[in-house]
Amino acid sequence: MNDLAEGVSLFNNSCFFEAHSFFEAKWLEANKDEKLFFQGLVQISVGSYHLEQNKLTGALSQYRKGREKLGKYTPSYNNLNINSVLNQVEILISLLEKRKSSNIFSGEDIIFPKIEYIGSLQK
Amino acid sequence: MAIMITDECINCGACEPECPNTAIYEGGAQWSLAGKTFGADDASPSGAAGFFAEDFFYIVPDKCTECVGFHDEPQCAAVCPVDCCVPDPKHVEDNDALLAKKDHLDGLGR
């Protein structure tokens, strides 16, 4: 089983706080080459958590930070489709930037990102 | 300058045990200095105010030396997974001031 499967499952099931904890543990033990990858996943998770809590400023900041870090691991890394995650996050960043001043959040058009695998190892 | 924790904090608690000055407190918790306890509405001995947070961890400016004298970089920022420990623009201090603060805290016994 992919080592990241639990974290990916938590994330894709919108358990963003738990997902952040999972990826944070990975970040703490990661080697230098992978530190930013796991931190990026932490920040995407935390961004999503803040967005769920209607903390739009925090969500935007975390998504931006996560985008910057994961951007170093495109198009894929550790069997994860990084391009796909970044595309989804980019949409949310654009949406949040437009709503920044009004702080009005309607959950109807918010689609939280999903992490996809490359290939058929996991679904 | 002192370090502050922004509201992006997710309350993981990684920072608190790393602080050599015990300057970091859980949201809503009272903080202490030189045997005295302070709460949400209390200004610090230096007059600093507005740093207390109810919902996430916060740093007491009077107690933060940015780890000068202990480490090469602020440890809270180093261990924060969401990069929410950032320089506090309201409390700008140069290295000499931070070292003097450390000496002062040493004298107080923290």
Side-chain angles (χ1 to χ4, degrees):
Chain A
M1 191 178 200
N2 189 315
D3 190 46
L4 302 183
E6 181 183 345
V8 172
S9 177
L10 287 167
F11 186 93
N12 288 345
N13 282 290
S14 299
C15 301
F16 297 120
F17 188 88
E18 292 80 3
H20 119 270
S21 295
F22 178 89
F23 293 127
E24 181 180 337
K26 294 293 183 187
W27 172 66
L28 287 170
E29 59 189 36
N31 60 42
K32 191 175 68 170
D33 292 335
E34 294 196 316
K35 276 278 188 192
L36 292 179
F37 167 72
F38 288 113
Q39 192 178 15
L41 289 175
V42 169
Q43 290 173 337
I44 298 300
S45 300
V46 172
S48 299
Y49 176 74
H50 282 321
L51 185 54
E52 265 191 333
Q53 309 294 315
N54 203 25
K55 293 170 72 175
L56 305 187
T57 301
L60 179 57
S61 179
Q62 287 297 307
Y63 277 146
R64 282 172 171 162
K65 290 175 185 175
R67 174 183 62 181
E68 181 182 350
K69 293 180 174 71
L70 288 180
K72 303 179 194 307
Y73 296 91
T74 57
S76 65
Y77 192 80
N78 271 337
N79 281 324
L80 303 184
N81 188 337
I82 304 303
N83 272 352
S84 167
V85 172
L86 289 178
N87 287 339
Q88 297 171 72
V89 167
E90 201 62 55
I91 292 170
L92 288 170
I93 287 173
S94 295
L95 197 60
L96 287 167
E97 285 173 343
K98 286 177 192 170
R99 293 183 173 171
K100 195 176 175 184
S101 56
S102 67
N103 208 38
I104 295 172
F105 169 62
S106 166
E108 293 175 2
D109 53 350
I110 295 292
I111 300 176
F112 287 97
K114 301 289 184 193
I115 300 175
E116 298 169 1
Y117 288 94
I118 291 291
S120 59
L121 278 179
Q122 282 285 349
K123 293 292 179 190
Chain B
M1 61 184 79
I3 303 296
M4 63 177 281
I5 296 174
T6 72
D7 64 359
E8 294 172 66
C9 172
I10 199 163
N11 289 311
C12 71
C15 55
E16 186 186 11
E18 301 299 323
C19 180
N21 295 314
T22 63
I24 301 177
Y25 291 82
E26 195 170 343
Q30 290 183 319
W31 61 278
S32 61
L33 177 61
K36 295 180 184 173
T37 301
F38 302 84
D41 299 324
D42 297 324
S44 69
S46 73
F51 55 87
F52 189 96
E54 290 286 349
D55 298 328
F56 48 89
F57 283 79
Y58 67 92
I59 296 174
V60 179
D62 283 33
K63 301 181 75 173
C64 176
T65 65
E66 299 181 45
C67 289
V68 166
F70 293 101
H71 303 283
D72 293 335
E73 59 177 347
Q75 291 301 288
C76 55
V79 302
C80 177
V82 298
D83 296 331
C84 71
C85 293
V86 299
D88 185 353
K90 293 184 190 175
H91 297 94
V92 179
E93 298 158 295
D94 62 19
N95 214 58
D96 288 342
L98 293 170
L99 277 172
K101 189 194 290 186
K102 177 189 179 292
D103 290 340
H104 175 65
L105 292 170
D106 288 342
L108 291 177
R110 290 183 173 74

